[in-house]
Amino acid sequence: QVQVVESGGGSVQAGGSLRLSCAVSGYPYSNYCMGWFRQAPGKEREGVTAFFTGGSSTYYTDSVKGRFTISQDRAKNTVYLQMNSLKPEDTAMYYCAADTPPCKVVTVADEYNYWGQGTQVTVSS
């Protein structure tokens, strides 16, 4: 059974950094699409970034370009989201999602079949 587990959330001041991790287990494929989403209280879920572990395709939403970077450790089946220069508007619950090939490198939640439980990121001003 596929499991997706996020970790690394926390509270930081504006301008600070956090690194989120997303570990995928029980996956029968060597490559897969990954997406990070976030949802703040009272707001709709927003796609942050999408990535294909077997290639170079990466998408970032405009609001995080230049501040967030996705990377991976294939030996650990783990994808990381490095978040720098954090802003109060980045405060949200962050979710990692995965999908099997053929898959799309998009930040459309319906394209992903496997989701983690979420990790909270709070940025204070």
Side-chain angles (χ1 to χ4, degrees):
Q1 185 173 354
V2 176
Q3 288 190 318
V4 178
V5 180
E6 307 100 331
S7 61
S11 298
V12 295
Q13 291 190 327
S17 298
L18 284 173
R19 189 179 76 160
L20 305 184
S21 299
C22 176
V24 180
S25 61
Y27 214 85
Y29 301 90
S30 59
N31 294 307
Y32 44 93
C33 290
M34 296 288 296
W36 282 98
F37 296 80
R38 64 186 180 185
Q39 188 166 20
K43 295 188 176 181
E44 293 186 355
R45 182 168 45 189
E46 175 190 22
V48 176
T49 181
F51 170 71
F52 182 60
T53 62
S56 60
S57 297
T58 306
Y59 169 84
Y60 296 96
T61 194
D62 287 345
S63 62
V64 307
K65 283 180 181 178
R67 301 189 299 122
F68 290 13
T69 304
I70 197 165
S71 63
Q72 65 173 322
D73 184 334
R74 293 180 66 89
K76 295 182 179 180
N77 276 346
T78 299
V79 174
Y80 303 98
L81 183 65
Q82 179 67 43
M83 305 185 297
N84 298 328
S85 302
L86 283 163
K87 304 175 181 180
E89 51 264 43
D90 294 318
T91 295
M93 183 71 79
Y94 282 70
Y95 297 91
C96 180
D99 194 29
T100 59
C103 54
K104 299 178 182 179
V105 181
V106 293
T107 51
V108 177
D110 289 345
E111 293 290 338
Y112 294 87
N113 290 312
Y114 306 103
W115 289 80
Q117 80 288 351
T119 185
Q120 179 68 38
V121 171
T122 302
V123 184
S124 58
S125 57

